[in-house]
């Protein structure tokens, strides 16, 4: 029985290599390309981060962010998405809670992150992806991974004043994904329309059903949810068949 999300991703990539896994308004990535690009990110991270640590991500949701998440996982780590709209003290406090040695961003948000003065080394996703994959290093990390390892950390809203990090394991998200797929009757033919930001737990339904089933996930921009007519047009344009949206949306 496979209990790592990487097993599910690689099985899907072997079965549907050229199928589009994730798409945003600028770009898209197939399952095979997602594996390849994530392994490049991992090759850059492995010498810099100990296994089972958490890699922070300070980027808008999109295809590159998913590549980064999976790269962190291939490196034997968990990931945590940070909210770009949070004030600097809150972001720093989250990074201190994570005790992360690395925070990944893109060139579009580098200056904003530097202004926060994070207690971690800043790396650019564009540069991480330029690293050649390192098969022996990847295999060594993979051999040590178990399904109880942390996969990602989501922070609560912080209604008590201090956001708390909730750690989710590989086994937990795969068990939940299997249940949700059975309950909703989703198949590999779905096109999920992602609404939730990646720091919100609802987004994990879109991410992991896509990876496990071999479906497609279209990452919808926030602007569409303020303009219902354009939202409907976007859903139609992308052929969206299923949504896992927050009740307010």
């Amino acid at each position: 029985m496979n209990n790592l999300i990487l097993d599910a991703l690689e099985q899907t990539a072997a079965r549907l290599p050229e199928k589009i896994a994730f798409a945003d308004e600028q770009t898209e990535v197939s399952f095979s390309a997602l594996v390849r690009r994530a392994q490049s990110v991992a090759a850059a991270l492995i010498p810099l981060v100990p296994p089972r640590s958490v890699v922070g991500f300070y980027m808008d949701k999109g295809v590159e962010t998913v590549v980064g998440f999976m790269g962190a996982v291939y490196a034997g780590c968990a990931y945590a998405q940070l909210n770009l709209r949070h004030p600097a003290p809150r972001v720093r406090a989250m990074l201190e809670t994570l005790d992360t040695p690395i925070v990944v961003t893109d060139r579009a948000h580098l200056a904003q992150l530097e202004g926060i003065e994070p207690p971690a080394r800043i790396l650019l996703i564009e540069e991480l992806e330029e690293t050649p994959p390192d098969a022996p290093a990847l295999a060594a990390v993979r051999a040590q991974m178990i399904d109880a390892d942390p996969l990602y950390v989501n922070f609560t809203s912080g209604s008590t004043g201090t956001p708390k990090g909730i750690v989710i394991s590989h086994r937990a998200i795969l068990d939940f994904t299997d249940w949700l797929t059975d309950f909703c009757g989703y198949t590999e033919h779905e096109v999920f329309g992602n609404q939730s930001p990646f720091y919100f737990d609802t987004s994990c339904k879109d991410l992991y059903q896509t990876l496990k089933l071999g479906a497609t996930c279209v990452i919808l921009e926030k602007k569409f949810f303020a303009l219902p007519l354009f939202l409907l047009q976007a859903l139609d344009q992308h052929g969206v068949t299923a949504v896992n949206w927050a009740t307010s949306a």
Side-chain angles (χ1 to χ4, degrees):
M1 181 177 180
N2 294 316
N3 287 312
L4 295 178
I5 193 61
L6 299 180
D7 296 316
L9 169 58
E10 289 168 358
Q11 287 177 357
T12 299
R15 186 167 56 89
L16 302 165
E18 301 310 314
K19 184 175 181 181
I20 298 304
F22 295 92
D24 56 34
E25 292 301 309
Q26 288 76 41
T27 188
E28 60 189 23
V29 66
S30 68
F31 284 102
S32 59
L34 176 57
V35 171
R36 184 176 63 254
R37 292 170 63 182
Q39 289 179 344
S40 289
V41 171
L45 290 176
I46 287 171
L48 303 175
V49 289
R52 299 181 179 89
S53 56
V54 184
V55 178
F57 282 83
Y58 194 80
M59 302 164 57
D60 269 326
K61 67 175 184 175
V63 166
E64 268 197 325
T65 316
V66 178
V67 169
F69 288 172
M70 291 300 103
V73 178
Y74 267 112
C77 298
Y79 65 83
Q81 173 72 33
L82 301 162
N83 190 335
L84 300 177
R85 292 159 188 83
H86 278 173
R90 192 181 184 94
V91 174
R92 281 197 300 272
M94 289 179 175
L95 289 170
E96 289 168 357
T97 298
L98 294 172
D99 192 25
T100 177
I102 298 293
V103 58
V104 177
T105 190
D106 53 17
R107 291 191 176 95
H109 297 95
L110 177 59
Q112 182 176 334
L113 178 58
E114 287 177 334
I116 290 172
E117 299 180 352
R121 180 179 176 183
I122 299 173
L123 298 178
L124 286 172
I125 187 67
E126 294 93 343
E127 294 179 356
L128 295 177
E129 283 203 56
E130 294 174 356
T131 307
D134 185 339
L138 288 166
V141 168
R142 186 74 159 268
Q144 300 178 47
M145 294 175 69
I146 61 173
D147 62 6
D149 283 346
L151 175 61
Y152 63 87
V153 178
N154 271 352
F155 279 90
T156 64
S157 60
S159 56
T160 61
T162 304
K164 299 171 182 63
I166 309 301
V167 181
I168 306 298
S169 69
H170 289 252
R171 182 194 304 164
I173 196 62
L174 285 171
D175 285 350
F176 175 71
T177 298
D178 286 342
W179 173 85
L180 187 63
T181 295
D182 290 342
F183 182 80
C184 295
Y186 290 141
T187 74
E188 70 179 54
H189 303 296
E190 306 301 343
V191 178
F192 293 106
N194 163 258
Q195 173 261 335
S196 298
F198 289 168
Y199 55 79
F200 188 56
D201 60 356
T202 304
S203 67
C204 298
K205 299 175 182 177
D206 302 325
L207 296 179
Y208 291 105
Q209 285 182 113
T210 296
L211 295 178
K212 184 79 182 291
L213 289 172
T216 295
C217 179
V218 176
I219 301 167
L220 299 166
E221 292 188 16
K222 183 178 179 181
K223 65 182 182 183
F224 289 126
F225 292 88
L227 302 164
L229 174 61
F230 293 110
L231 174 61
L232 292 174
Q233 290 174 344
L235 297 178
D236 182 58
Q237 174 189 345
H238 294 293
V240 170
T241 65
V243 295
N244 298 296
W245 289 359
T247 305
S248 56

